[in-house]
Amino acid sequence: MFAAVLCTALLSACSAQNGAPSADGINDPYEAQNRRVHAFNRGLDRAIVRPAGKGYTAIVPDDIEDSVGNFSTNLGQPSVTVNSLLQGDMRGSGISLARFVINSTLGIGGLFDVATDFGIEDHDTDFGETLYVWGVGEGSYIELPLLGPSTARHTAGRIVDLFTNPLSYNLDDPESYIPPAATVASRLGDRGRYSDTVDAILYESADSYAQARLIYLQNRRFQLGAQDAGSSIDPFELNTEGF
Amino acid sequence: MFRRTFIAGLGAVSVLPSGALALTEGSAKTLIDQLVGDINKVISSGKSESGMIRDFEKIFARYSDTSYISAYAMGADGRRASTAQKRAFSDAFQSYIARKYGKRFREFIGGRLEVTSVRKVKKWFEVDTVAYLKGQSPFKVTFHVSNRSGKDLFFNMFVEGINLLLTERTEVGALIDSNGGDIDRMIAALKQSG
C-alpha cells in the first residue's frame, strides 16, 4: 500500500516535471536536498562500501566473483521477462526466459552463464524502462540514499520491480534472503572491480555531485535509447578563435 | 601543354582551401581506423604509465579537434577569457585529458577497439566502435567526426552514452566555481588535476 502511494506520487512528479529540463538536459529542482544525500553516500562509500568492495575483490577469486555476479543476474531474469512482456518486447522476454531456464539448469542454479556461451546474449530491462516505453516522462533527478543517482521514473520503477519478480513471492525464509544478499555481494564486487572509475567520479572531480548526475543521466538515456542533449552538439556553432 | 596543365593544376590546388576536401563516410571511418590503430599500438606497447600518457597526448593532438573541445569545455566563461588565457587553458586542458584518460590505459591492456559502423548526422559523422576489454562485457564507444577545422578530426567521444564534451564542461565549470570565477586560478588547478 505504501509502495503504491509512493509510486503514484513519483509518477505524478514525472509528468509534472515533463517540460522542465534545461538546455543541458538536467532537471534537478531538489538539488539542495540531493546534495545532502550525495554527501551522505560519499561518506558511506569512503568509510564502508569502498574498502569492503576493494577487500571483496582482493580476497574473492575472480571466478567466484563472476559466479556471484551471474547468480545475482540470473535471479533478476524473471523480472526482465515480465518487464519485456509489459513493453511488448516478445524477443526480449523470450531471450530472458531462455537464459533463466538454461542458466538455472545447465548453469547450476545460475552460477555459470552458459547461455552466453550458447550465443544467447544478455538482455536487461526494468520497470523504469517499461514506464519509458509507456511514454512516462523522466521526471526530476533524485539521488537516493545507498542506491545513488536516479530519476523519479527510475525510482518508481525500482519500487515496482520489488513486485515484478515472481521469485519474490515464491521463496520462504531463509531462502528469501538469498536474492538481496546476492545483490549486495554483486554490487560490492562491481565497486571493487570498477574502483578506478568510481573513484575518479567521487574523489577526483571538482564537483562529484554534478559529475555523478551528468554521467548517470547520459548513461541511463543511452540504455533506454532516449534522446540525449549530447548527441546533437553541432561543432559549427561555436567560436573557437584563440583556443 | 604539359606546363600549362601543371600550372593550372597548381592554381586549382592553391585556390582550394584545405577545408573544401569533403568529409565523407569513408574518410571519417579512415580517421577512426587510424586512431584505433594508434591506440591499440600504445596499449600493446607495454610502456610505462608515463610513457603511455605522453603517447596519448600526441594521439589526442593529432586526431581530435583540440581547439573546439577546449572552447566547448570552457563554455560561456570562454567569452570573457583573454587570448593568453585561452591559449594557456587549451595547453593545460590537453595535458589534463592525456593524464586523466591515459592513467586508465592499464585497464585497456590486452583489449582492443573495433570500428563497426559509420553514419552521417547533419554536418558531421558518427563512427561507432566496440571496446573489448579483459573481464568486461564489450561496450560501445562512439566518435563524432567533422572537418570544421579544415581537417577531419573527432570533436566528441561517447562511452556508453557518456560524452567527453559535456563531462569536461561540467568539470571545468566546477573548477571555475571553486576558484571564485578566476580563470587563471582555474588553469592552475587544472594543471594539478587528472
Side-chain angles (χ1 to χ4, degrees):
Chain A
M1 182 58 201
F2 169 70
V5 171
L6 193 58
C7 279
T8 315
L10 281 163
L11 285 180
S12 59
C14 295
S15 42
Q17 299 291 341
N18 250 349
S22 56
D24 55 3
I26 291 169
N27 170 20
D28 189 4
Y30 310 116
E31 181 166 347
Q33 190 187 321
N34 282 335
R35 279 188 182 271
R36 282 195 290 276
V37 176
H38 181 76
F40 167 79
N41 283 343
R42 200 161 168 252
L44 189 76
D45 180 80
R46 196 192 287 276
I48 298 168
V49 183
R50 184 176 185 275
K54 290 197 118 178
Y56 177 87
T57 309
I59 294 164
V60 178
D62 281 356
D63 292 346
I64 296 185
E65 233 186 289
D66 285 345
S67 280
V68 171
N70 290 337
F71 181 70
S72 168
T73 306
N74 192 53
L75 290 178
Q77 289 297 318
S79 170
V80 174
T81 308
V82 170
N83 278 304
S84 299
L85 276 177
L86 292 173
Q87 294 161 22
D89 176 8
M90 294 305 149
R91 189 173 174 271
S93 67
I95 287 173
S96 52
L97 184 62
R99 284 181 60 85
F100 182 68
V101 171
I102 293 171
N103 285 342
S104 300
T105 52
L106 298 174
I108 316 174
L111 292 176
F112 300 96
D113 183 5
V114 196
T116 297
D117 299 336
F118 288 166
I120 308 173
E121 76 282 22
D122 188 30
H123 176 67
D124 192 21
T125 188
D126 51 52
F127 196 74
E129 180 159 6
T130 301
L131 290 173
Y132 164 75
V133 171
W134 289 354
V136 175
E138 184 177 64
S140 316
Y141 177 77
I142 304 172
E143 180 154 342
L144 300 169
L146 305 172
L147 300 171
S150 193
T151 58
R153 182 177 64 200
H154 197 177
T155 305
R158 276 176 178 280
I159 296 166
V160 174
D161 274 331
L162 296 173
F163 305 96
T164 53
N165 195 335
L167 282 182
S168 54
Y169 305 109
N170 297 320
L171 292 177
D172 299 321
D173 290 345
E175 288 83 1
S176 61
Y177 295 107
I178 294 174
T183 307
V184 169
S186 156
R187 287 192 138 235
L188 276 186
D190 286 346
R191 179 63 182 91
R193 204 172 271 202
Y194 303 114
S195 182
D196 287 348
T197 309
V198 182
D199 285 354
I201 300 165
L202 285 184
Y203 306 113
E204 286 160 33
S205 58
D207 181 351
S208 63
Y209 172 76
Q211 206 58 256
R213 176 179 63 188
L214 178 74
I215 287 174
Y216 162 80
L217 287 173
Q218 292 185 75
N219 184 246
R220 179 70 180 162
R221 288 167 189 162
F222 171 78
Q223 287 169 348
L224 299 181
Q227 191 64 33
D228 183 66
S231 58
S232 55
I233 297 170
D234 185 340
F236 295 89
E237 279 175 3
L238 185 67
N239 180 9
T240 62
E241 203 187 318
F243 282 97
Chain B
M1 182 62 200
F2 168 74
R3 192 170 155 266
R4 225 167 49 211
T5 325
F6 182 64
I7 289 168
L10 258 187
V13 169
S14 62
V15 163
L16 273 173
S18 53
L21 292 170
L23 175 65
T24 62
E25 221 166 83
S27 67
K29 183 175 183 300
T30 304
L31 178 84
I32 302 305
D33 275 332
Q34 286 171 350
L35 167 69
V36 165
D38 278 9
I39 290 175
N40 286 342
K41 228 179 281 168
V42 175
I43 296 170
S44 59
S45 70
K47 284 191 187 176
S48 65
E49 183 173 290
S50 58
M52 282 193 181
I53 290 174
R54 267 197 304 280
D55 286 350
F56 187 63
E57 190 165 0
K58 279 185 220 141
I59 290 176
F60 189 64
R62 177 168 166 206
Y63 291 101
S64 78
D65 190 346
T66 51
S67 52
Y68 177 77
I69 298 173
S70 305
Y72 190 93
M74 214 169 177
D77 291 292
R79 271 179 246 143
R80 61 183 173 91
S82 70
T83 309
Q85 282 174 324
K86 285 178 182 174
R87 196 62 254 158
F89 172 75
S90 209
D91 290 343
F93 181 76
Q94 284 180 52
S95 309
Y96 152 79
I97 291 286
R99 280 195 306 278
K100 180 172 173 180
Y101 296 93
K103 258 197 331 203
R104 309 293 300 281
F105 261 42
R106 210 180 295 116
E107 295 159 41
F108 287 78
I109 293 170
R112 66 184 198 284
L113 278 172
E114 271 175 23
V115 176
T116 51
S117 65
V118 192
R119 67 184 191 100
K120 193 172 186 347
V121 186
K122 296 179 189 168
K123 284 183 279 180
W124 61 91
F125 283 89
E126 198 170 273
V127 182
D128 285 337
T129 71
V130 176
Y132 296 90
L133 301 193
K134 267 192 181 160
Q136 285 191 43
S137 313
F139 58 88
K140 197 168 152 187
V141 180
T142 299
F143 294 90
H144 281 188
V145 177
S146 92
N147 64 353
R148 181 200 69 88
S149 62
K151 272 163 72 182
D152 294 358
L153 296 168
F154 81 82
F155 65 93
N156 202 0
M157 180 179 101
F158 300 68
V159 179
E160 290 279 287
I162 299 155
N163 83 75
L164 175 82
L165 289 178
L166 281 174
T167 304
E168 296 312 330
R169 179 182 274 189
T170 301
E171 186 64 16
V172 171
L175 273 181
I176 292 174
D177 289 347
S178 64
N179 285 289
D182 187 324
I183 291 175
D184 290 327
R185 276 173 53 205
M186 175 274 286
I187 296 170
L190 193 65
K191 285 180 181 162
Q192 304 301 316
S193 182

